[in-house]
Structures are given as structure tokens and as C-alpha cells.
Amino acid sequence: MNIFRLAGDMTHLFSVLVLLLKIHTIKSCAGISLKTQELYAIVFATRYLDIFTNHISPYNTIMKLIFLGSSFSIVWYMRYHKIVRRSYDKDQDTFRHYILILPCLILALLINEKFTFKEVMWTFSLYLEAVAILPQLVLLQRTRNIDNLTGQYVFLLGAYRALYIVNWIYRYFTEDHFVHWITWVCGLVQTLLCADFFYYYFQSWKNNMKLQLPA
Amino acid sequence: SSNGGLKDEL
């Protein structure tokens, strides 16, 4: 495992930890899109179907369990925890996320590496992950005051995929390891969707001002 | 070599 992959995994892990910290200790999920969190739960559930059959390393298995467990517990907290759910911006979080699921599924059935159940589900998870951030970005744009933890969460989530792209380039040259073009395209789309956010995130950081996205 | 089926990333 190279440094870029590790850094990518760690930023991904930190993004989840930041979100859990906000929910668990501050008991607030203000500014967080439940729609995006539900999509991530589906992403991990469909991507890690091989978790018990395809053993790579203890590291991989533990990380998969963390991402599965955290994504489903975040959804549970936001929907059912009696204090946390009160802070959910239900009226603002209106992106109809289910309309993303069907096109991703159809695309996965049409364009995949191999037409098997596990491969199609894996490809579906890539397509869905690429666009899963959209409800969160829409909610951010509607939120007047984005708190620090929410801003950091989205930043870390975007940085994770950007670092994975650097990892793929590195692996291409050093290991002769080819990542399928589907993975490349999805990773690029996912990172580009965050690029606009990155711009405003760095601006607010540079000027030491509160993060706010233009309407 | 392609990662054909072996997904070692997360």
C-alpha cells in the first residue's frame, strides 16, 4: 500500500469520525444531509458484498466493517435518535435522492467489467458513490451558516477521492496495476463535484472567514 | 496486470 492510498483511506476515516463526533458528542446533525448518508449506506452495503469471502488483509476487513457500521449508525442516529433527529434540517434536505439510484443501477447493468451479481453491484456502488454527495452539496448551499465540523466533513470526503486518484496514477507507474476505466471516470466525477466546494473552503480558510456558499 | 476481480481497495 502506498502513501497516497493510506492518506486517502485516512481522510475518509477522519471524515466519518468528524461526523460521528458531531452526532455523538454534540448531539447534532444540523447541516448534514440524511439523503447523502442513506446513499453512502447503500454504497458500502453493495460494494462490500465480498467482505467475508474475499479476504485481502485484516486492514481491509476492519476498514470495511468501520465504513459499513458507521454509515448505518449515522443513518440510524439521524432518523431515530430522539435528540439528534431534532436537529435534522428536514425541510432543507429536499433532494430526491432515490432518483439517483435507478439510473446508477441501469448504468451498472449496461456498463460493467463482468456481468455477474457481485460485479454489477460493485459497479453500481461506484456510480452511486460518485453522485452521493449531491444532496449534501445542495443542503450546504441552502445553509446560511455552515459550522466547522460540517465544512471539515465535506472537505475530508472530497480529499479522500482526490487522493485515491493520485494513488491510481502512482500504482499505474509503480506496480503495473491497472484500475478499470469505470473506476477512473467515477473517481474523477466524484472529485470534480467537490471542486467548487474546495474553492470556497480554501477561500474562507485563507481569509479566516466563516464558510458560506454563494446562492 | 489488471485487478480483474480482486478488489484490494476500499
Side-chain angles (χ1 to χ4, degrees):
Chain A
M1 181 158 59
N2 64 66
I3 187 74
F4 306 109
R5 156 82 196 280
L6 184 65
D9 284 349
M10 289 303 114
T11 39
H12 196 185
L13 184 63
F14 280 132
S15 75
V16 173
L17 290 179
V18 163
L19 193 49
L20 280 174
L21 176 84
K22 183 179 154 88
I23 288 175
H24 207 271
T25 59
I26 307 171
K27 295 274 185 286
S28 162
C29 63
I32 301 297
S33 166
L34 176 60
K35 308 293 178 73
T36 285
Q37 296 307 318
E38 288 178 344
L39 292 178
Y40 281 133
I42 297 171
V43 164
F44 295 128
T46 50
R47 182 171 306 170
Y48 299 153
L49 287 173
D50 64 348
I51 185 164
F52 296 115
T53 53
N54 186 14
H55 185 77
I56 309 265
S57 67
Y59 171 84
N60 262 53
T61 307
I62 291 167
M63 292 293 271
K64 284 175 179 175
L65 287 172
I66 291 174
F67 290 135
L68 275 169
S70 59
S71 62
F72 277 92
S73 63
I74 288 165
V75 169
W76 181 86
Y77 264 108
M78 292 184 72
R79 276 172 166 261
Y80 305 114
H81 190 280
K82 65 179 194 291
I83 300 168
V84 174
R85 72 175 190 186
R86 268 188 243 147
S87 56
Y88 170 48
D89 304 317
K90 196 173 193 271
D91 301 331
Q92 307 263 39
D93 190 22
T94 55
F95 195 100
R96 297 214 295 279
H97 64 327
Y98 50 86
I99 63 164
L100 294 174
I101 297 173
L102 195 61
C104 287
L105 192 60
I106 293 168
L107 202 60
L109 285 165
L110 295 174
I111 307 172
N112 52 60
E113 252 183 275
K114 209 164 44 168
F115 196 73
T116 63
F117 178 69
K118 251 163 55 174
E119 276 301 312
V120 171
M121 284 296 109
W122 181 81
T123 316
F124 165 72
S125 83
L126 275 188
Y127 295 150
L128 195 61
E129 188 191 1
V131 292
I133 194 73
L134 283 173
Q136 179 64 65
L137 292 174
V138 169
L139 180 59
L140 279 186
Q141 205 154 38
R142 290 179 180 164
T143 311
R144 277 264 151 255
N145 286 305
I146 303 166
D147 64 81
N148 285 335
L149 286 179
T150 306
Q152 276 148 18
Y153 167 68
V154 178
F155 172 74
L156 289 167
L157 210 52
Y160 135 70
R161 223 42 182 173
L163 283 161
Y164 252 72
I165 292 176
V166 183
N167 153 59
W168 295 330
I169 296 169
Y170 184 85
R171 291 189 80 170
Y172 178 84
F173 287 111
T174 58
E175 293 173 36
D176 240 12
H177 177 96
F178 299 124
V179 181
H180 199 270
W181 66 267
I182 293 172
T183 316
W184 278 103
V185 173
C186 291
L188 276 172
V189 168
Q190 196 174 341
T191 308
L192 285 174
L193 285 178
C194 292
D196 189 58
F197 172 83
F198 282 160
Y199 173 79
Y200 293 105
Y201 185 85
F202 282 120
Q203 286 286 317
S204 79
W205 180 69
K206 198 178 76 183
N207 303 323
N208 209 6
M209 276 173 25
K210 211 154 173 60
L211 178 63
Q212 205 176 336
L213 303 184
Chain B
S1 63
S2 151
N3 65 345
L6 183 69
K7 319 278 190 221
D8 64 350
E9 291 177 347
L10 292 166

